[in-house]
Amino acid sequence: MSQPNAGPAGTEAGSTGAEDGSTRAEAGSARAELARLVSPPLRADARRNYGAMLAAAADVFAAGGPEASLDEIARRAGVGNATLYRHFPNRRDLLIAVCVDEVEKLCVIGDDLRSRGRSGDALESWLGAYIDHVRTRSGLGAAFASGDNQDSRFVSTCRTAVSEVGSALLRDAQQLGTVRIDLRLDDLLTLANAIAIVTESSTEDQARNLLAVVFEGVRPR
């Protein structure tokens, strides 16, 4: 995702062919699982409850921040606390669930940038989009930044899906010589998360300026 501050878990460039194949298979599976998270295959009544919980969580987190009452979310959604915790075992799962559509959008943006042909600016453009998406969703940056090997399947799926796209863009940039060959995706996402967190109440321009400073530091010398 430097584990306490890591972004969505990344893959270092320079892997062997077998490792790359395994990573691609896992990442492809993560994207398929992400699609199921965006539109979970539930019965009609369960789907309504699921949507109600996400809508209530979005409103409550927007008003009270990421530490807002989970009991209040359940009450607004019209479900019991047990139902809420069955779907989202902890606060971090719920914070990311509210934003899972944003995670999917980030993956699509990365795919679109790569489909236009390899570009030296694609990685920076994608990280700019990453920061924009994360900083406008209160608590998402901190939720991604606190990853560890005990992540739930829900959280690890989102982190792996983002990692697939980010790793591909990083490899392209390294092969084009626009960033250092020893640069790791985890380190870039740690910095991107930090920018997103500190600029949640600032302007987009400040976030872009800080990202530009980061890229000045990671270009080959």
Side-chain angles (χ1 to χ4, degrees), residues 194-211:
I195 292 172
I197 291 168
V198 301
T199 60
E200 278 186 2
S201 58
S202 303
T203 65
E204 181 180 338
D205 286 344
Q206 184 184 21
R208 293 290 178 169
N209 289 341
L210 290 171
L211 181 61

Side-chain angles (χ1 to χ4, degrees), residues 119-131:
S119 164
D121 298 328
L123 177 62
E124 186 172 358
S125 296
W126 181 77
L127 282 171
Y130 178 99
I131 291 168

Side-chain angles (χ1 to χ4, degrees), residues 99-137:
C99 306
V100 71
D101 58 327
E102 298 295 320
V103 176
E104 174 65 16
K105 287 175 186 175
L106 283 171
C107 293
V108 171
I109 289 170
D111 290 343
D112 182 57
L113 285 167
R114 294 199 80 216
S115 72
R116 301 176 193 174
R118 295 197 307 173
S119 164
D121 298 328
L123 177 62
E124 186 172 358
S125 296
W126 181 77
L127 282 171
Y130 178 99
I131 291 168
D132 288 345
H133 281 261
V134 171
R135 64 183 289 275
T136 55
R137 294 282 194 157

